[in-house]
């Protein structure tokens, strides 16, 4: 390794990489490109470890099966110092199209995890759907004709999902074409049908629970993409919990008085004692 200006490793995990390099001796001034799987925290730790040893460091992720490495269409993700990628562009391009995601060394493994999560969610959706139709004796090949030949390309067209991405960034989820409550009704049907047909119900039950949480947090009249807010902030308060933890405060002439809707309201006599004409019942 000492004779080469760049070393590319793809081992079982970060611990294996540390073990190999500690036994390899000094490689000060060389570049290390790490294609191990792991987490962003592990990538950040590896970047610090490399800097302490005067190693230029890139963290990376292989996004295709091993037989496709080096072929057209293969993509590898990289994050870390851009100049390291630029200096070794020719070598890295031989493995596949190198995509630099940013200076944060954790981005490559984060993108890898996000994309694999999407892959497994898609596969599990198809497998669960095929299990549902299998419960009625329909062969998977027959189901695939309509599921993959029509439903996925038309109803879940990637272009239509891409059009929604800016709305995720803006937090805009107009419900004019369908609401979260409507989707919750559909998820309830899927969960109930799974139980009735003897198909594992955990997957639709989880989706139902997430939609229920979205409705509870005030997204019932927004569209299904509002679930993004629940996934980003799983511990966010619901309106009910906010009311319990933060009693509603009266404003105007009632400032300092407290009304909790779940308890007895402030009496009309008490309100009239503090009010001025036109200000009756003014709440924050």
């Amino acid at each position: 390794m000492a004779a080469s200006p760049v070393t590319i490793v793809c081992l079982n995990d970060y611990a294996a990489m540390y073990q190999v390099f500690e036994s390899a001796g000094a490689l000060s001034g060389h570049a290390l490109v790490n294609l191990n799987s792991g987490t962003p925290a592990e990538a950040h730790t590896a970047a610090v470890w490399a800097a302490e040893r005067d190693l230029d460091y890139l963290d990376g992720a292989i996004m295709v099966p091993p037989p496709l490495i080096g072929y057209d269409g293969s993509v590898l993700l990289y994050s870390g110092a851009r100049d390291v990628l630029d200096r070794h562009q020719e070598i890295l391009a031989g493995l596949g199209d190198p995509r630099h995601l940013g200076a944060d060394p954790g981005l490559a493994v984060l993108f890898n995890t996000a994309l694999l999560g999407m892959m497994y969610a898609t596969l599990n959706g198809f497998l669960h759907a095929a299990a549902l139709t299998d419960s009625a004796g329909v062969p998977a090949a027959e189901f695939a004709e309509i599921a993959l030949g029509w439903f996925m390309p038309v109803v879940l067209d990637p272009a239509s999902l891409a059009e929604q991405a800016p709305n995720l960034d803006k937090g805009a989820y107009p419900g004019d074409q369908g609401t979260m409550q409507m989707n919750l009704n559909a998820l309830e049907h899927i969960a109930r049908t799974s139980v009735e047909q003897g198909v594992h119900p955990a997957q639709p039950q989880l989706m139902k629970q997430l939609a229920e949480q979205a409705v509870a947090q005030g997204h019932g009249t927004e569209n299904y993409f509002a679930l993004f807010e629940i996934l980003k902030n799983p511990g966010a308060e619901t309106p009910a919990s906010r009311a319990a933890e933060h009693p509603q405060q009266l404003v105007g002439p009632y400032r300092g008085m407290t009304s909790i809707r779940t308890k007895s309201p402030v009496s009309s006599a008490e309100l009239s004692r503090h009010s001025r004409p036109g200000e009756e019942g003014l709440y924050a």
Side-chain angles (χ1 to χ4, degrees):
M1 288 190 291
S4 173
V6 58
T7 299
I8 302 172
V9 297
C10 184
L11 301 172
N12 187 57
D13 53 28
Y14 286 81
M17 180 190 72
Y18 297 144
Q19 183 177 2
V20 167
F21 272 81
E22 293 295 357
S23 64
L27 290 172
S28 176
H30 291 240
L32 170 61
V33 179
N34 177 27
L35 302 178
N36 297 340
S37 296
T39 69
E42 289 177 314
H44 291 144
T45 300
V48 173
W49 173 89
E52 292 172 346
R53 289 155 180 78
D54 192 28
L55 288 168
D56 294 331
Y57 184 77
L58 272 183
D59 211 272
I62 301 170
M63 299 310 302
V64 293
L68 297 183
I69 294 292
Y71 286 87
D72 291 342
S74 63
V75 170
L76 280 79
L77 306 178
Y78 296 99
S79 57
R82 177 63 195 242
D83 64 300
V84 179
L85 176 62
D86 291 341
R87 288 201 307 270
H88 305 288
Q89 173 86 19
E90 185 176 353
I91 293 173
L92 297 178
L95 301 175
D97 182 10
R99 307 283 182 90
H100 187 258
L101 301 175
D104 180 347
L107 284 175
V109 291
L110 183 61
F111 267 64
N112 179 57
T113 301
L115 292 169
L116 288 178
M118 185 170 70
M119 178 190 77
Y120 284 116
T122 304
L123 287 173
N124 288 344
F126 171 71
L127 293 173
H128 184 269
L132 277 175
T133 53
D134 177 80
S135 71
V138 178
E142 181 179 334
F143 172 69
E145 288 182 12
I146 190 168
L148 306 180
W150 167 75
F151 186 81
M152 288 286 288
V154 175
V155 179
L156 292 176
D157 176 21
S160 66
L161 292 179
E163 290 174 358
Q164 293 295 328
N167 287 334
L168 300 184
D169 294 331
K170 293 184 293 186
Y173 313 106
D176 52 318
Q177 298 296 317
T179 65
M180 183 68 69
Q181 184 62 59
M182 292 171 57
N183 283 281
L184 174 56
N185 294 339
L187 290 169
E188 288 173 340
H189 296 155
I190 298 169
R192 191 166 69 249
T193 300
S194 297
V195 173
E196 289 179 1
Q197 296 297 114
V199 173
H200 203 304
Q203 182 170 281
Q205 285 173 346
L206 173 59
M207 294 188 292
K208 172 177 168 287
Q209 290 167 8
L210 290 171
E212 287 172 338
Q213 185 177 348
V215 171
Q217 290 182 202
H219 300 287
T221 60
E222 297 177 319
N223 67 41
Y224 191 74
F225 286 90
L227 196 64
F228 185 55
E229 301 298 327
I230 307 305
L231 298 174
K232 289 195 303 179
N233 303 293
E237 294 179 319
T238 66
S241 66
R242 283 196 298 272
E245 295 178 15
H246 309 289
Q248 193 168 32
Q249 298 295 317
L250 299 174
V251 298
Y254 321 121
R255 186 174 291 109
M257 298 171 60
T258 298
S259 171
I260 303 178
R261 294 183 185 276
T262 56
K263 297 182 180 180
S264 299
V266 179
S267 69
S268 58
E270 183 70 6
L271 286 176
S272 63
R273 186 167 64 85
H274 293 274
S275 66
R276 294 193 296 271
E279 291 184 335
E280 291 80 1
L282 183 62
Y283 287 83

